[in-house]
Amino acid sequence: MSKIQYSNDGNIKHLLTIEGLQEELIYKIFDLAESFLNVGNREIKNVPLLRGKTICNLFFENSTRTRTTFEIAAKRLSADVINLDIDSSSQSKGESIFDTVDNLISMGADIFVVRHPEPGMPELLAKHVGGNAHIINAGDGNHAHPTQGLLDTFTIKKYKNRFDNLSVAIIGDIKHSRVARSEIHALTTLGVPDIRLIGPTDLMPTDMSKINLKIFESMDDGLKNVDVIMMLRIQKERMIGAIIPEEGEYSEKYGLRKKHLLLAKKDAIVMHPGPMNRGIEIDSDVADGQQSVILSQVTFGIAIRMAVMSMLIGKNI
Amino acid sequence: MIDPKNTLPDPILLIKKMAAELSKEIDSNTCLIGIPKGGHLIINELKGMLSSSTLDYGLIDTSFYRDDLEISGLKVKEMTTDVMFNIHDKKVILIDDVFYTGRTSRAAINELFDFGRPREILLYVLIDRQSAQLPIKPNYSAFQVSPKKNNYINLEENNKSLTFRTKIINE
């Protein structure tokens, strides 16, 4: 899967998944994102790096936050941005996604940011476009959401400096979460020794047996002495057919409350990819509390997406 | 290839020459902004040579303003832009180790304007390779040399002393 992400000369060409990305490349993305963070602190936040380039946001699922951060990232790089409203586009008239993409390439599109309910669709598009454009996966079904995985691990680096001594707990519906999947691959590549998954047994992944993961059904057991608490949103739209507890029961067992923070290390950070279901998977006093870094994740997300777009267009370092 | 020991002067001597010229130019409205990494190393030395205590010092990393992203890629620098003072109506003196094509200077000037409208921008370098590809010339260069195109020259710090490093690069 990951081979298609690289061109023959070893440069990254598409970002489809974190699985298989080299650790060195992830750190290069982090270094670049750090530079872009500084740009974000200036009065004029735009740099002319991608001037003349066109970035198309192709979102086949609803998203406000991710699409907006990609759009801001592209605009800060001075690229032209096209947001395709899929509902009112040719797709609804029966045109295939491949035809849509071909047409946009003919119009000069350089990068496609794709969110699609079908796992693997960004990879199919990457194979289809070849060297004519770059694909960034902004979430495909329950498969991957690589920029979220990168921004989450970048956030951890910003607060914890290193990865090789950390205990990280991911809580919620891991099975249906592309965010969790990307986080797990990133954390593994970066050498986190203790990755814990907390949630109902039915919502644990069944296809990650090669990765050393510790599974917990209880928050009280799983959160002991962790450095990082990564909450996940309940994904009602992806839980069709899943045997899940009723929402109230789920919230009772797996909602993050202030009392849980006492189990973790004193300086543990709380993360959430958003949007949050306050009062269900996370209480407001935790989401807005001192240990929460949720809004930093959003800020860092722009820098990470700027870094990824620049690396895809530019010859790698 | 240029032999730095035989062809290029000691960088400290050149920085001293530059400091002498700068002291004629500096007034109460002047700031010095180095282009990493060479410009940063030069500024570190200049701080001990220039007597002005009111001078502002900054750095400008041109990576995001270059014109060769698709040719040379994006270099992640150890030092990023750091201009923590208002440059509006200031006399900005850009400091770099080597002036070659003028493209880095162009990128630096463009970036500066994102921070404000300087009254004047000057460019001071240690070495002018005299091969500008743009209508930009340094206001001051301490040394001039015309090596072959593939001779790369830059200022480096080794064991706390500054040296010019030269190497042959693939064109």
Side-chain angles (χ1 to χ4, degrees):
Chain A
M1 166 64 164
S2 64
K3 276 185 189 167
I4 193 171
Q5 299 192 114
Y6 293 92
S7 57
N8 290 338
D9 55 5
N11 291 320
I12 188 158
K13 202 167 58 169
H14 309 288
L15 181 65
L16 307 172
T17 172
I18 294 179
E19 191 177 3
L21 276 196
Q22 296 139 354
E23 185 181 8
E24 190 190 359
L25 181 71
I26 294 179
Y27 274 109
K28 278 178 184 167
I29 294 171
F30 287 174
D31 287 345
L32 204 46
E34 190 70 51
S35 302
F36 284 124
L37 270 186
N38 294 331
V39 175
N41 293 328
R42 296 185 196 171
E43 201 173 308
I44 295 175
K45 295 175 171 58
N46 295 18
V47 292
L49 202 59
L50 297 192
R51 198 174 49 188
K53 300 294 174 192
T54 301
I55 293 169
C56 289
N57 280 328
L58 287 180
F59 277 62
F60 295 85
E61 280 184 343
N62 288 334
S63 162
T64 307
R65 179 185 318 245
T66 305
R67 200 180 79 169
T68 306
T69 53
F70 269 108
E71 187 173 347
I72 291 174
K75 285 181 172 170
R76 287 202 181 159
L77 293 166
S78 304
D80 295 321
V81 183
I82 297 170
N83 290 314
L84 249 76
D85 184 354
I86 302 299
D87 284 343
S88 60
S89 76
S90 306
Q91 293 280 305
S92 58
K93 296 175 192 160
E95 185 180 80
S96 84
I97 185 171
F98 301 105
D99 285 336
T100 303
V101 163
D102 286 345
N103 276 282
L104 288 165
I105 291 174
S106 297
M107 294 176 204
D110 297 286
I111 294 180
F112 292 95
V113 179
V114 181
R115 170 166 287 191
H116 201 281
E118 283 293 316
M121 183 54 84
E123 184 184 355
L124 287 177
L125 282 174
K127 283 178 182 161
H128 180 74
V129 302
N132 296 324
H134 307 275
I135 305 288
I136 298 175
N137 180 3
D140 58 337
N142 59 10
H143 171 241
H145 190 353
T147 55
Q148 183 72 43
L150 289 169
L151 79 89
D152 288 342
T153 42
F154 180 68
T155 304
I156 294 174
K157 183 176 175 286
K158 292 287 287 177
Y159 284 93
K160 298 291 170 193
N161 285 321
R162 50 194 283 194
F163 294 98
D164 61 356
N165 59 349
L166 294 183
S167 293
V168 178
I170 305 174
I171 300 158
D173 173 9
I174 318 285
K175 189 176 187 171
H176 301 94
S177 172
R178 55 193 176 207
V179 172
R181 223 166 276 272
S182 290
E183 285 168 347
I184 291 166
H185 286 304
L187 293 167
T188 307
T189 304
L190 293 164
V192 171
D194 182 13
I195 304 173
R196 307 178 192 182
L197 309 182
I198 307 173
T201 313
D202 285 334
L203 299 182
M204 287 295 123
T206 50
D207 57 345
M208 300 186 101
S209 55
K210 284 181 186 166
I211 302 173
N212 186 19
L213 302 167
K214 295 173 188 163
I215 311 279
F216 294 87
E217 222 178 329
S218 140
M219 295 273 275
D220 289 350
D221 294 337
L223 284 177
K224 277 180 192 158
N225 287 320
V226 294
D227 301 277
V228 179
I229 302 170
M230 303 173 100
M231 298 306 297
L232 297 173
R233 183 173 68 86
I234 296 186
Q235 307 225 49
K236 293 171 195 167
E237 70 274 26
R238 274 181 239 295
M239 289 165 82
I240 302 157
I243 307 160
I244 53 156
E246 185 263 327
E247 196 173 271
E249 189 191 335
Y250 177 89
S251 173
E252 188 61 37
K253 274 185 152 176
Y254 299 106
L256 188 67
R257 309 206 150 68
K258 231 173 177 178
K259 65 175 185 182
H260 293 122
L261 300 184
L262 299 173
L263 299 164
K265 285 187 185 153
K266 274 185 183 170
D267 62 349
I269 55 170
V270 175
M271 303 170 65
H272 192 298
M276 289 184 282
N277 295 302
R278 285 174 184 263
I280 299 175
E281 73 252 4
I282 189 165
D283 275 2
S284 278
D285 54 358
V286 178
D288 304 329
Q290 285 194 340
Q291 286 169 266
S292 168
V293 298
I294 294 167
L295 291 177
S296 296
Q297 284 175 267
V298 179
T299 306
F300 297 158
I302 293 171
I304 283 288
R305 284 161 182 143
M306 288 170 82
V308 169
M309 288 175 183
S310 309
M311 284 186 83
L312 294 186
I313 293 276
K315 194 179 158 193
N316 282 184
I317 307 147
Chain B
M1 188 169 81
I2 293 174
D3 177 358
K5 277 185 187 157
N6 296 329
T7 323
L8 300 175
D10 175 6
I12 292 294
L13 286 178
L14 296 186
I15 295 171
K16 281 180 180 166
K17 276 178 74 178
M18 181 189 274
E21 287 301 312
L22 278 170
S23 55
K24 295 178 208 163
E25 196 65 57
I26 289 169
D27 59 29
S28 59
N29 203 30
T30 304
C31 59
L32 300 189
I33 296 184
I35 300 173
K37 194 173 181 183
H40 173 67
L41 297 172
I42 297 166
I43 279 188
N44 282 346
E45 296 296 325
L46 287 173
K47 282 177 181 172
M49 295 177 189
L50 297 170
S51 53
S52 171
S53 58
T54 56
L55 208 51
D56 283 318
Y57 296 96
L59 283 176
I60 199 140
D61 167 28
T62 59
S63 301
F64 302 145
Y65 289 73
R66 294 192 65 85
D67 58 9
D68 55 359
L69 174 68
E70 287 168 89
I71 304 163
S72 306
L74 197 51
K75 310 268 189 304
V76 181
K77 298 268 173 67
E78 296 157 37
M79 281 166 281
T80 54
T81 295
D82 179 16
V83 180
M84 300 301 284
F85 46 86
N86 190 354
I87 63 163
H88 183 74
D89 219 24
K90 285 244 180 186
K91 180 196 276 188
V92 177
I93 304 183
L94 285 171
I95 307 287
D96 204 358
D97 52 354
V98 179
F99 179 85
Y100 183 15
T101 62
R103 288 172 192 272
T104 303
S105 312
R106 194 278 309 162
I109 292 165
N110 274 18
E111 185 167 0
L112 271 180
F113 277 90
D114 281 353
F115 286 88
R117 184 181 184 276
R119 190 183 73 207
E120 189 179 7
I121 300 174
L122 304 175
L123 175 64
Y124 276 46
V125 300
L126 296 186
I127 293 176
D128 180 0
R129 292 185 53 151
Q130 302 175 306
S131 310
Q133 294 170 355
L134 302 174
I136 296 174
K137 268 178 75 76
N139 299 86
Y140 172 78
S141 59
F143 189 73
Q144 299 79 40
V145 65
S146 300
K148 281 186 183 169
K149 199 177 165 191
N150 65 348
N151 276 202
Y152 176 82
I153 309 170
N154 72 315
L155 184 67
E156 281 201 342
E157 187 175 38
N158 288 316
N159 299 322
K160 293 188 177 175
S161 73
L162 296 184
T163 52
F164 284 113
R165 183 178 69 120
T166 60
K167 68 174 180 180
I168 303 287
I169 53 164
N170 296 324
E171 287 178 80

